Amino acid sequence: MSQRREVWREGLGVAIATSAYGISFGALAVASGLDIWQTCVLSLLMFTGGSQFAFIGVFGAGGIGALPSAIASAALLGVRNLAYGMRMSPIVGGGFWRRTAAAQITIDESTAVAISQGSPSLSRLGFWVTGLGVFIGWNITTLVGAMLGDVLGDPKSWGLDAAAAAAFLALLWPRLKQRQAIAVGVAAAVIAASLTPVMMPGLPVLVAAVVAIVVGWFNWLGRDDTRPSAAATEARA
């Protein structure tokens, strides 16, 4: 029982912390040109933070003309959830409705809490507590943020026109821990910035994404990152 309580505590803690960020998304989405109901539907159906911020970032920059690019950018970031789904499949179990519900809440947070547990039953509990907690909390805070954003009025007067990019950078920053990740981030930023004046909004982001895909596929700069350090080798010896 103490282990189950600890899983509940961990899952709800992650859900509360993550859900708070939904306020930012709601306000930014409205500032980017979406209505309150459109913002809420986006959180309800898409429900993957990184993809949602990518969507409103591109859409806010180019309007309806950038909609295809916005969808493509969001889809690229959402591909990682397919890998999470394969990892979570044996934990979630069988049944059409159970798998359908699990597919909607298979995100970074629910997967992380699930795989950190020591038994299949605790992993299953952690997955559902975290996933459902984030889903409910994120949609509530999205509505709150959208209503606040609607009240604020002109986004430029509050600096919200640049906040989507800042929020997305905050999501990316913790991942820049290895040489390959840093190099890919810098190269993609340079390419996107160079192409922005000559291409329609959204397309520079997609072109820059090719850099990450190619480098990640061939792992050109990541080979040395996977080698154990001398200190680690000596410790094992």
Side-chain angles (χ1 to χ4, degrees):
M1 290 298 296
S2 61
Q3 290 181 323
R4 292 181 64 86
R5 283 197 297 268
E6 183 62 30
V7 174
W8 272 93
R9 187 180 299 112
E10 181 180 356
L12 291 178
V14 171
I16 292 172
T18 304
S19 297
Y21 204 47
I23 296 177
S24 298
F25 170 75
L28 293 174
V30 171
S32 298
L34 297 181
D35 294 333
I36 293 179
W37 73 269
Q38 291 172 328
T39 300
C40 292
V41 168
L42 194 63
S43 275
L44 187 66
L45 299 181
M46 184 178 289
F47 186 56
T48 170
S51 296
Q52 291 180 232
F53 278 104
F55 179 88
I56 64 171
V58 176
F59 179 79
I64 194 67
L67 187 58
S69 298
I71 294 174
S73 299
L76 282 175
L77 286 172
V79 168
R80 71 188 189 280
N81 288 351
L82 294 177
Y84 295 159
M86 290 186 288
R87 178 66 176 84
M88 291 295 99
S89 180
I91 293 176
V92 171
F96 174 78
W97 293 112
R98 177 184 297 179
R99 286 183 173 273
T100 300
Q104 181 67 359
I105 62 172
T106 300
I107 54 177
D108 301 277
E109 292 78 11
S110 60
T111 303
V113 173
I115 64 178
S116 67
Q117 307 307 320
S119 68
S121 61
L122 293 179
S123 293
R124 189 177 303 110
L125 176 63
F127 173 82
W128 287 108
V129 170
T130 307
L132 291 174
V134 174
F135 182 80
I136 294 172
W138 181 269
N139 281 279
I140 292 174
T141 54
T142 292
L143 174 60
V144 173
M147 294 174 67
L148 289 175
D150 193 50
V151 171
L152 290 177
D154 184 11
K156 293 184 179 180
S157 64
W158 298 89
L160 289 177
D161 53 321
F168 196 73
L169 181 60
L171 292 174
L172 175 65
W173 189 260
R175 302 177 186 274
L176 301 180
K177 297 179 179 179
Q178 295 181 338
R179 183 177 61 187
Q180 176 170 279
I182 295 173
V184 169
V186 172
V190 170
I191 292 173
S194 301
L195 295 178
T196 296
V198 297
M199 299 183 71
M200 66 177 294
L203 289 182
V205 176
L206 298 180
V207 174
V210 176
V211 175
I213 294 173
V214 172
V215 176
W217 181 270
F218 292 101
N219 199 30
W220 285 331
L221 301 175
R223 295 188 180 95
D224 292 339
D225 293 334
T226 59
R227 294 177 183 174
S229 64
T233 303
E234 293 176 2
R236 286 197 297 269

